[in-house]
Amino acid sequence: QVQLVESGGGSVQAGGSLRLSCAAFGYTSSIYCMGWFRQAPGKKREAVARIYTDDGTTSYTDFVKGRFTISQDNAKNTLYLQMNSLKPEDTAMYYCAADFDTRCRRTPIPEFRYRGQGTQVTVSS
């Protein structure tokens, strides 16, 4: 089992920055994929970014490219999402997710096996 705990959300003005953290506990040594997805009220879940823990390869959804950066600190079992140039449309609950199976490379981030409780990000104009 893996537990994921997000932190770092909050309220900022447009153009501001936030850094989200996701601490992983439990059987973390076998995690292969980690990522972030978000969901705004009344909207579908959206993948944001992912990282593969073996080689650090990252990928981003188009609407965050150049603004968000996903990274990992393996020593601390922590995943990060640095969010810059935030826009009001980035307002959502942000979730951390993880999966063990290498097939997760082809799995949408919201469908990863484990997810946290989420942290709210609110961007005002």
Coordinates of all heavy atoms in Angstrom, one line a residue, residues 21-108:
S21 N 3.6 19.9 -3.0 CA 4.4 18.8 -2.6 C 3.5 17.6 -2.4 O 2.3 17.7 -2.0 CB 5.1 19.1 -1.3 OG 6.0 20.2 -1.5
C22 N 4.0 16.4 -2.6 CA 3.3 15.2 -2.4 C 4.3 14.2 -1.7 O 5.2 13.7 -2.4 CB 2.8 14.6 -3.7 SG 2.1 12.9 -3.6
A23 N 4.0 13.9 -0.5 CA 4.9 13.0 0.3 C 4.3 11.6 0.2 O 3.1 11.4 0.4 CB 4.9 13.4 1.7
A24 N 5.1 10.6 -0.2 CA 4.7 9.2 -0.3 C 5.2 8.4 0.8 O 6.3 8.5 1.3 CB 5.2 8.7 -1.6
F25 N 4.3 7.6 1.4 CA 4.6 6.7 2.5 C 4.2 5.3 2.1 O 3.3 5.0 1.3 CB 3.8 7.1 3.7 CG 4.0 8.6 4.1 CD1 3.2 9.6 3.7 CD2 5.1 8.9 5.0 CE1 3.5 10.9 4.0 CE2 5.4 10.2 5.3 CZ 4.6 11.2 4.8
G26 N 4.8 4.3 2.8 CA 4.5 2.9 2.6 C 5.5 2.3 1.6 O 6.7 2.5 1.7
Y27 N 4.9 1.4 0.8 CA 5.7 0.6 -0.1 C 6.1 1.5 -1.3 O 5.6 1.3 -2.5 CB 4.9 -0.6 -0.6 CG 5.7 -1.7 -1.2 CD1 6.8 -2.2 -0.6 CD2 5.3 -2.2 -2.5 CE1 7.5 -3.2 -1.3 CE2 6.0 -3.2 -3.1 CZ 7.1 -3.7 -2.5 OH 7.8 -4.7 -3.1
T28 N 7.0 2.4 -1.1 CA 7.3 3.4 -2.1 C 8.4 3.0 -3.1 O 8.5 3.6 -4.2 CB 7.7 4.8 -1.5 OG1 8.9 4.5 -0.7 CG2 6.6 5.3 -0.6
S29 N 9.2 2.0 -2.7 CA 10.3 1.6 -3.6 C 9.9 1.1 -4.9 O 10.7 1.1 -5.9 CB 11.2 0.6 -2.8 OG 10.4 -0.6 -2.6
S30 N 8.7 0.6 -5.1 CA 8.3 0.1 -6.3 C 7.4 1.0 -7.2 O 6.9 0.6 -8.2 CB 7.5 -1.2 -6.1 OG 8.3 -2.2 -5.5
I31 N 7.3 2.2 -6.7 CA 6.5 3.2 -7.5 C 7.2 3.5 -8.8 O 8.4 3.7 -8.9 CB 6.3 4.5 -6.8 CG1 5.4 4.3 -5.6 CG2 5.7 5.6 -7.7 CD1 5.2 5.5 -4.7
Y32 N 6.5 3.4 -10.0 CA 7.1 3.6 -11.3 C 6.7 4.9 -11.9 O 7.5 5.6 -12.5 CB 6.8 2.4 -12.2 CG 7.5 2.5 -13.5 CD1 8.8 2.2 -13.6 CD2 6.8 2.9 -14.7 CE1 9.5 2.3 -14.8 CE2 7.5 3.0 -15.9 CZ 8.8 2.7 -16.0 OH 9.5 2.8 -17.1
C33 N 5.4 5.2 -11.8 CA 4.8 6.4 -12.3 C 4.3 7.3 -11.2 O 3.6 6.8 -10.3 CB 3.7 6.2 -13.3 SG 4.1 5.2 -14.8
M34 N 4.5 8.6 -11.3 CA 3.9 9.5 -10.4 C 3.4 10.7 -11.2 O 4.0 11.0 -12.3 CB 4.8 10.0 -9.3 CG 5.3 8.9 -8.4 SD 6.0 9.6 -6.8 CE 4.5 10.1 -5.9
G35 N 2.4 11.4 -10.8 CA 1.9 12.5 -11.5 C 0.9 13.3 -10.8 O 0.6 13.1 -9.6
W36 N 0.4 14.4 -11.4 CA -0.5 15.3 -10.9 C -1.7 15.4 -11.8 O -1.5 15.4 -13.1 CB 0.1 16.7 -10.7 CG 1.1 16.8 -9.7 CD1 2.5 16.6 -9.9 CD2 1.0 17.0 -8.3 NE1 3.2 16.8 -8.7 CE2 2.3 17.0 -7.7 CE3 -0.1 17.3 -7.4 CZ2 2.5 17.3 -6.3 CZ3 0.1 17.5 -6.1 CH2 1.4 17.5 -5.6
F37 N -2.9 15.4 -11.3 CA -4.1 15.8 -12.1 C -4.9 16.7 -11.3 O -4.7 16.9 -10.1 CB -4.9 14.5 -12.5 CG -5.6 13.8 -11.4 CD1 -6.9 14.1 -11.1 CD2 -4.9 12.8 -10.7 CE1 -7.6 13.4 -10.1 CE2 -5.6 12.1 -9.7 CZ -6.9 12.4 -9.4
R38 N -5.9 17.4 -11.9 CA -6.7 18.4 -11.3 C -8.1 18.2 -11.6 O -8.5 17.6 -12.7 CB -6.2 19.8 -11.6 CG -6.4 20.2 -13.0 CD -5.7 21.5 -13.3 NE -6.0 22.1 -14.6 CZ -5.4 23.1 -15.1 NH1 -4.5 23.8 -14.4 NH2 -5.8 23.6 -16.3
Q39 N -9.0 18.8 -10.8 CA -10.4 18.8 -11.1 C -11.0 20.0 -10.5 O -10.9 20.3 -9.3 CB -11.1 17.5 -10.5 CG -12.6 17.4 -11.0 CD -13.1 16.1 -10.7 OE1 -12.7 15.4 -9.8 NE2 -14.2 15.7 -11.4
A40 N -11.7 20.8 -11.4 CA -12.4 22.0 -11.0 C -13.9 21.6 -10.8 O -14.4 20.6 -11.4 CB -12.3 23.1 -12.0
P41 N -14.6 22.3 -10.0 CA -16.1 22.0 -9.8 C -16.8 22.0 -11.2 O -16.7 22.9 -12.0 CB -16.5 23.2 -9.0 CG -15.3 23.6 -8.2 CD -14.2 23.5 -9.2
G42 N -17.5 20.9 -11.4 CA -18.3 20.7 -12.6 C -17.6 20.4 -13.8 O -18.1 20.3 -14.9
K43 N -16.3 20.1 -13.7 CA -15.5 19.8 -14.8 C -14.8 18.4 -14.7 O -14.8 17.8 -13.6 CB -14.4 20.8 -15.0 CG -14.9 22.2 -15.4 CD -13.8 23.1 -15.8 CE -14.3 24.5 -16.2 NZ -13.2 25.4 -16.6
K44 N -14.4 17.9 -15.8 CA -13.7 16.5 -15.7 C -12.3 16.7 -15.2 O -11.7 17.7 -15.1 CB -13.6 16.0 -17.2 CG -15.0 15.7 -17.8 CD -14.8 15.0 -19.2 CE -13.9 15.7 -20.1 NZ -13.7 15.0 -21.4
R45 N -11.8 15.5 -14.7 CA -10.5 15.5 -14.2 C -9.5 15.7 -15.4 O -9.8 15.2 -16.5 CB -10.2 14.1 -13.6 CG -11.0 13.9 -12.3 CD -10.8 12.5 -11.7 NE -11.2 11.5 -12.7 CZ -11.0 10.2 -12.5 NH1 -10.5 9.8 -11.3 NH2 -11.4 9.3 -13.4
E46 N -8.5 16.4 -15.2 CA -7.5 16.7 -16.2 C -6.1 16.3 -15.8 O -5.6 16.7 -14.7 CB -7.4 18.3 -16.5 CG -8.7 18.9 -17.0 CD -8.5 20.4 -17.3 OE1 -7.9 21.1 -16.4 OE2 -8.9 20.8 -18.3
A47 N -5.4 15.6 -16.6 CA -4.0 15.3 -16.3 C -3.2 16.5 -16.4 O -3.5 17.4 -17.3 CB -3.5 14.2 -17.3
V48 N -2.2 16.7 -15.6 CA -1.4 17.9 -15.6 C 0.1 17.5 -16.0 O 0.6 18.0 -17.0 CB -1.4 18.5 -14.2 CG1 -0.4 19.7 -14.2 CG2 -2.8 19.0 -13.8
A49 N 0.7 16.6 -15.3 CA 2.1 16.2 -15.5 C 2.4 14.9 -14.9 O 1.8 14.5 -14.0 CB 3.0 17.3 -15.0
R50 N 3.4 14.2 -15.5 CA 3.8 12.9 -15.0 C 5.3 12.8 -15.0 O 6.0 13.5 -15.8 CB 3.2 11.7 -15.7 CG 3.6 11.6 -17.2 CD 3.1 10.3 -17.8 NE 1.7 10.2 -17.9 CZ 1.0 9.1 -17.9 NH1 1.6 7.9 -17.9 NH2 -0.3 9.1 -18.1
I51 N 5.8 11.9 -14.2 CA 7.3 11.6 -14.2 C 7.4 10.1 -13.9 O 6.7 9.5 -13.2 CB 8.0 12.4 -13.1 CG1 9.5 12.3 -13.2 CG2 7.5 12.1 -11.7 CD1 10.2 13.3 -12.3
Y52 N 8.5 9.5 -14.6 CA 8.8 8.1 -14.4 C 10.0 8.0 -13.5 O 11.0 8.6 -13.8 CB 9.1 7.5 -15.8 CG 7.9 7.6 -16.7 CD1 8.1 8.1 -18.0 CD2 6.6 7.2 -16.3 CE1 7.0 8.2 -18.9 CE2 5.5 7.3 -17.2 CZ 5.7 7.8 -18.5 OH 4.7 8.0 -19.3
T53 N 9.8 7.3 -12.4 CA 10.8 7.4 -11.3 C 12.1 6.7 -11.7 O 13.1 7.0 -11.1 CB 10.2 6.7 -10.1 OG1 9.9 5.3 -10.4 CG2 9.0 7.4 -9.6
D54 N 12.1 5.8 -12.7 CA 13.4 5.1 -13.0 C 14.4 6.1 -13.7 O 15.6 6.0 -13.5 CB 13.1 3.9 -13.9 CG 12.4 4.2 -15.2 OD1 11.9 5.3 -15.4 OD2 12.4 3.3 -16.1
D55 N 13.9 6.9 -14.7 CA 14.8 7.7 -15.4 C 14.5 9.2 -15.4 O 15.2 10.0 -16.0 CB 14.9 7.3 -16.9 CG 13.5 7.4 -17.6 OD1 12.6 7.9 -17.0 OD2 13.5 7.0 -18.7
G56 N 13.4 9.6 -14.6 CA 13.1 11.0 -14.5 C 12.4 11.6 -15.7 O 12.3 12.9 -15.7
T57 N 12.1 10.8 -16.7 CA 11.4 11.4 -17.8 C 10.1 12.0 -17.4 O 9.3 11.5 -16.6 CB 11.1 10.3 -18.8 OG1 12.3 9.7 -19.3 CG2 10.4 10.8 -20.1
T58 N 9.8 13.2 -18.0 CA 8.6 13.9 -17.6 C 7.8 14.2 -18.9 O 8.3 14.2 -20.0 CB 8.9 15.3 -17.0 OG1 9.7 16.1 -17.9 CG2 9.7 15.1 -15.7
S59 N 6.5 14.5 -18.7 CA 5.6 14.9 -19.7 C 4.5 15.8 -19.2 O 4.2 15.6 -18.0 CB 5.0 13.7 -20.5 OG 4.2 13.0 -19.7
Y60 N 4.1 16.7 -20.0 CA 3.1 17.7 -19.5 C 1.9 17.8 -20.5 O 2.1 17.7 -21.7 CB 3.8 19.1 -19.4 CG 4.9 19.1 -18.5 CD1 6.2 18.8 -18.9 CD2 4.7 19.5 -17.1 CE1 7.3 18.9 -18.0 CE2 5.8 19.6 -16.2 CZ 7.1 19.2 -16.7 OH 8.1 19.3 -15.8
T61 N 0.8 18.2 -19.9 CA -0.3 18.5 -20.8 C -0.1 19.9 -21.4 O 0.6 20.8 -20.7 CB -1.6 18.5 -19.9 OG1 -1.8 17.3 -19.3 CG2 -2.8 18.8 -20.8
D62 N -0.6 20.1 -22.6 CA -0.2 21.3 -23.3 C -0.5 22.6 -22.5 O 0.3 23.6 -22.6 CB -1.0 21.3 -24.6 CG -0.4 20.4 -25.7 OD1 0.7 19.9 -25.4 OD2 -1.1 20.1 -26.7
F63 N -1.6 22.6 -21.8 CA -2.0 23.9 -21.2 C -1.1 24.3 -20.0 O -1.3 25.4 -19.5 CB -3.5 23.9 -20.8 CG -3.9 22.8 -19.9 CD1 -3.6 22.7 -18.6 CD2 -4.7 21.7 -20.4 CE1 -3.9 21.7 -17.7 CE2 -5.1 20.7 -19.6 CZ -4.7 20.6 -18.3
V64 N -0.2 23.4 -19.6 CA 0.8 23.8 -18.5 C 2.2 23.9 -19.0 O 3.1 24.3 -18.2 CB 0.6 22.9 -17.3 CG1 -0.8 22.9 -16.8 CG2 1.2 21.5 -17.6
K65 N 2.5 23.5 -20.2 CA 3.8 23.5 -20.7 C 4.5 24.9 -20.6 O 3.8 25.8 -21.0 CB 3.9 23.0 -22.1 CG 3.7 21.5 -22.3 CD 3.8 21.0 -23.7 CE 3.7 19.5 -23.8 NZ 3.7 19.1 -25.3
G66 N 5.7 24.9 -20.1 CA 6.4 26.2 -20.0 C 6.0 26.9 -18.7 O 6.7 27.9 -18.4
R67 N 5.0 26.5 -18.0 CA 4.6 27.2 -16.7 C 4.8 26.3 -15.5 O 5.1 26.8 -14.4 CB 3.1 27.6 -16.8 CG 2.8 28.6 -18.0 CD 1.4 29.1 -17.8 NE 0.4 28.1 -17.9 CZ -0.6 27.9 -17.0 NH1 -0.6 28.7 -15.9 NH2 -1.5 27.0 -17.1
F68 N 4.5 25.0 -15.7 CA 4.6 24.1 -14.5 C 5.8 23.1 -14.7 O 6.2 22.8 -15.9 CB 3.4 23.2 -14.5 CG 2.1 23.9 -14.1 CD1 2.0 25.3 -14.0 CD2 0.9 23.2 -13.8 CE1 0.8 25.9 -13.7 CE2 -0.2 23.8 -13.4 CZ -0.3 25.2 -13.4
T69 N 6.4 22.7 -13.6 CA 7.5 21.8 -13.6 C 7.3 20.7 -12.6 O 7.1 21.0 -11.4 CB 8.9 22.5 -13.4 OG1 9.1 23.5 -14.3 CG2 10.0 21.5 -13.5
I70 N 7.3 19.5 -13.0 CA 7.2 18.3 -12.1 C 8.6 17.8 -11.8 O 9.5 17.8 -12.7 CB 6.3 17.2 -12.7 CG1 6.1 16.2 -11.6 CG2 7.0 16.6 -13.9 CD1 5.0 15.1 -12.1
S71 N 8.8 17.5 -10.5 CA 10.2 17.0 -10.1 C 10.0 16.0 -8.9 O 8.9 16.0 -8.3 CB 11.1 18.1 -9.8 OG 10.6 18.8 -8.7
Q72 N 11.0 15.3 -8.7 CA 11.0 14.3 -7.6 C 12.3 14.4 -6.7 O 13.3 14.7 -7.3 CB 10.8 12.9 -8.1 CG 11.9 12.4 -9.0 CD 11.7 11.0 -9.6 OE1 10.7 10.4 -9.3 NE2 12.5 10.6 -10.5
D73 N 12.1 14.1 -5.5 CA 13.2 14.0 -4.6 C 13.1 12.5 -4.0 O 12.4 12.3 -3.1 CB 13.2 15.0 -3.5 CG 14.4 15.0 -2.6 OD1 15.0 13.9 -2.4 OD2 14.8 16.0 -2.0
N74 N 13.9 11.6 -4.6 CA 13.8 10.2 -4.2 C 14.2 10.0 -2.8 O 13.7 9.1 -2.1 CB 14.6 9.4 -5.2 CG 14.0 9.3 -6.5 OD1 12.8 9.4 -6.7 ND2 14.8 9.1 -7.5
A75 N 15.2 10.8 -2.3 CA 15.6 10.6 -0.9 C 14.5 10.9 0.1 O 14.5 10.4 1.2 CB 16.9 11.5 -0.7
K76 N 13.7 11.9 -0.3 CA 12.6 12.3 0.6 C 11.3 11.6 0.2 O 10.2 11.9 0.8 CB 12.4 13.8 0.6 CG 13.7 14.6 1.1 CD 13.4 16.1 1.0 CE 14.6 16.8 1.6 NZ 14.4 18.3 1.5
N77 N 11.3 10.8 -0.8 CA 10.0 10.2 -1.3 C 8.9 11.3 -1.5 O 7.8 11.1 -1.1 CB 9.5 9.2 -0.3 CG 10.3 7.9 -0.3 OD1 10.9 7.5 -1.3 ND2 10.5 7.3 0.9
T78 N 9.3 12.3 -2.2 CA 8.5 13.5 -2.4 C 8.4 13.9 -3.8 O 9.5 14.0 -4.5 CB 8.9 14.7 -1.5 OG1 8.9 14.3 -0.1 CG2 7.9 15.8 -1.6
L79 N 7.2 14.2 -4.3 CA 7.0 14.7 -5.6 C 6.6 16.2 -5.5 O 5.9 16.6 -4.6 CB 5.8 13.9 -6.3 CG 5.4 14.3 -7.7 CD1 6.5 13.8 -8.7 CD2 4.1 13.7 -8.0
Y80 N 7.0 17.0 -6.5 CA 6.7 18.4 -6.5 C 6.1 18.8 -7.8 O 6.3 18.2 -8.8 CB 8.0 19.2 -6.3 CG 8.8 18.9 -5.0 CD1 9.9 18.1 -5.0 CD2 8.4 19.4 -3.8 CE1 10.6 17.8 -3.9 CE2 9.0 19.1 -2.6 CZ 10.1 18.3 -2.7 OH 10.8 18.0 -1.5
L81 N 5.3 19.9 -7.7 CA 4.8 20.6 -8.9 C 5.0 22.1 -8.7 O 4.3 22.7 -7.9 CB 3.3 20.2 -9.1 CG 2.8 20.8 -10.4 CD1 3.4 20.1 -11.6 CD2 1.3 20.7 -10.5
Q82 N 6.0 22.6 -9.4 CA 6.2 24.1 -9.3 C 5.3 24.7 -10.4 O 5.4 24.4 -11.6 CB 7.7 24.4 -9.6 CG 8.0 25.9 -9.7 CD 7.8 26.5 -8.3 OE1 8.3 26.0 -7.3 NE2 7.2 27.7 -8.3
M83 N 4.5 25.6 -9.9 CA 3.5 26.2 -10.8 C 3.8 27.7 -10.9 O 3.7 28.4 -9.9 CB 2.1 26.0 -10.3 CG 1.7 24.5 -10.1 SD 0.0 24.2 -9.7 CE -0.1 25.0 -8.1
N84 N 4.1 28.2 -12.0 CA 4.4 29.6 -12.3 C 3.4 30.2 -13.2 O 2.7 29.5 -13.9 CB 5.8 29.8 -12.8 CG 6.9 29.3 -11.9 OD1 6.8 29.3 -10.7 ND2 8.0 28.8 -12.4
S85 N 3.3 31.5 -13.3 CA 2.4 32.2 -14.2 C 1.0 31.7 -14.1 O 0.4 31.4 -15.2 CB 3.0 32.1 -15.7 OG 4.3 32.6 -15.8
L86 N 0.6 31.5 -12.9 CA -0.8 30.9 -12.7 C -1.9 31.8 -13.3 O -1.8 33.0 -13.3 CB -1.0 30.7 -11.2 CG -0.3 29.4 -10.7 CD1 -0.2 29.5 -9.2 CD2 -1.0 28.2 -11.1
K87 N -2.9 31.1 -13.8 CA -4.0 31.7 -14.4 C -5.3 31.4 -13.7 O -5.3 30.3 -13.0 CB -4.2 31.3 -15.9 CG -2.9 31.5 -16.7 CD -3.1 30.9 -18.1 CE -1.9 31.1 -19.0 NZ -2.1 30.5 -20.3
P88 N -6.3 32.2 -13.7 CA -7.6 31.8 -13.0 C -8.1 30.5 -13.5 O -8.7 29.7 -12.6 CB -8.5 32.9 -13.5 CG -7.6 34.1 -13.7 CD -6.4 33.5 -14.3
E89 N -7.9 30.1 -14.7 CA -8.4 28.8 -15.2 C -7.6 27.6 -14.6 O -7.9 26.4 -14.8 CB -8.4 28.7 -16.7 CG -7.1 29.1 -17.3 CD -7.1 30.6 -17.8 OE1 -7.6 31.4 -17.0 OE2 -6.6 30.8 -18.9
D90 N -6.5 27.9 -13.9 CA -5.8 26.8 -13.1 C -6.4 26.5 -11.8 O -6.0 25.6 -11.1 CB -4.3 27.3 -12.9 CG -3.5 27.4 -14.2 OD1 -3.6 26.5 -15.1 OD2 -2.7 28.3 -14.3
T91 N -7.4 27.2 -11.4 CA -8.1 27.0 -10.2 C -8.8 25.6 -10.2 O -9.5 25.3 -11.1 CB -9.2 28.1 -9.9 OG1 -8.6 29.3 -9.8 CG2 -10.0 27.7 -8.7
A92 N -8.4 24.8 -9.2 CA -8.9 23.4 -9.1 C -8.4 22.8 -7.9 O -7.5 23.3 -7.2 CB -8.5 22.6 -10.3
M93 N -8.9 21.6 -7.6 CA -8.3 20.7 -6.6 C -7.2 19.9 -7.3 O -7.5 19.3 -8.4 CB -9.3 19.8 -6.0 CG -8.8 18.9 -4.8 SD -8.5 19.9 -3.4 CE -10.2 20.0 -2.7
Y94 N -6.0 19.9 -6.8 CA -4.9 19.2 -7.4 C -4.6 17.9 -6.6 O -4.5 18.0 -5.4 CB -3.7 20.1 -7.5 CG -3.7 21.1 -8.6 CD1 -4.6 22.2 -8.5 CD2 -2.9 21.0 -9.7 CE1 -4.7 23.1 -9.5 CE2 -3.0 21.9 -10.7 CZ -3.9 23.0 -10.6 OH -4.0 23.9 -11.6
Y95 N -4.5 16.8 -7.4 CA -4.2 15.5 -6.7 C -2.9 14.9 -7.2 O -2.6 15.0 -8.4 CB -5.3 14.6 -7.1 CG -6.7 15.0 -6.6 CD1 -7.5 15.8 -7.4 CD2 -7.2 14.5 -5.4 CE1 -8.8 16.1 -7.0 CE2 -8.5 14.9 -5.0 CZ -9.3 15.7 -5.8 OH -10.5 16.0 -5.3
C96 N -2.2 14.3 -6.3 CA -1.0 13.5 -6.6 C -1.5 12.1 -6.8 O -2.4 11.6 -6.1 CB -0.1 13.6 -5.4 SG 1.3 12.6 -5.4
A97 N -0.8 11.4 -7.7 CA -1.2 10.0 -8.0 C 0.1 9.2 -8.3 O 1.1 9.7 -8.7 CB -2.1 9.9 -9.2
A98 N 0.0 7.9 -8.1 CA 1.1 7.0 -8.3 C 0.7 5.6 -8.7 O -0.4 5.2 -8.4 CB 2.0 6.9 -7.0
D99 N 1.6 4.9 -9.4 CA 1.3 3.5 -9.8 C 2.6 2.8 -9.8 O 3.6 3.3 -10.0 CB 0.6 3.5 -11.1 CG -0.4 2.3 -11.3 OD1 0.0 1.3 -10.7 OD2 -1.4 2.5 -12.0
F100 N 2.4 1.4 -9.7 CA 3.6 0.5 -9.7 C 3.9 0.0 -11.0 O 5.1 -0.2 -11.4 CB 3.3 -0.6 -8.7 CG 3.3 -0.3 -7.3 CD1 2.4 -0.9 -6.5 CD2 4.1 0.7 -6.7 CE1 2.3 -0.6 -5.1 CE2 4.1 1.0 -5.4 CZ 3.1 0.3 -4.6
D101 N 2.9 -0.4 -11.7 CA 3.1 -1.2 -12.9 C 3.6 -0.4 -14.1 O 3.2 0.8 -14.3 CB 1.7 -1.7 -13.4 CG 1.8 -2.9 -14.3 OD1 2.5 -2.8 -15.3 OD2 1.1 -3.9 -14.1
T102 N 4.6 -0.9 -14.8 CA 5.2 -0.2 -15.9 C 4.1 0.2 -17.0 O 4.3 1.1 -17.8 CB 6.3 -0.9 -16.6 OG1 5.9 -2.2 -17.0 CG2 7.5 -1.1 -15.6
R103 N 3.0 -0.6 -17.0 CA 1.9 -0.2 -17.9 C 1.4 1.1 -17.7 O 0.6 1.7 -18.5 CB 0.8 -1.3 -17.9 CG 1.3 -2.6 -18.5 CD 0.2 -3.7 -18.3 NE 0.1 -4.0 -16.9 CZ -0.8 -5.0 -16.4 NH1 -1.5 -5.7 -17.3 NH2 -0.9 -5.2 -15.1
C104 N 1.7 1.7 -16.5 CA 1.2 3.1 -16.2 C 1.7 4.1 -17.2 O 1.1 5.2 -17.2 CB 1.5 3.5 -14.8 SG 3.3 3.6 -14.4
R105 N 2.7 3.8 -18.0 CA 3.1 4.7 -19.0 C 2.0 5.0 -20.0 O 1.9 6.0 -20.6 CB 4.3 4.1 -19.8 CG 5.6 4.2 -19.1 CD 6.8 3.7 -19.9 NE 8.1 3.9 -19.3 CZ 8.8 5.0 -19.6 NH1 8.5 5.8 -20.5 NH2 10.0 5.1 -19.0
R106 N 1.0 4.0 -20.1 CA -0.1 4.2 -21.0 C -1.4 4.4 -20.3 O -2.5 4.4 -20.9 CB -0.2 2.9 -21.9 CG 1.0 2.7 -22.8 CD 0.8 1.5 -23.7 NE 0.7 0.2 -23.0 CZ 1.6 -0.5 -22.5 NH1 2.9 -0.1 -22.7 NH2 1.4 -1.6 -21.9
T107 N -1.3 4.6 -19.0 CA -2.5 4.9 -18.2 C -2.7 6.3 -17.9 O -1.8 7.0 -17.5 CB -2.3 4.1 -16.8 OG1 -2.1 2.7 -17.0 CG2 -3.6 4.3 -16.0
P108 N -3.9 6.8 -18.1 CA -4.2 8.2 -17.8 C -3.9 8.5 -16.3 O -4.2 7.6 -15.4 CB -5.7 8.4 -18.1 CG -6.0 7.3 -19.1 CD -5.1 6.2 -18.7

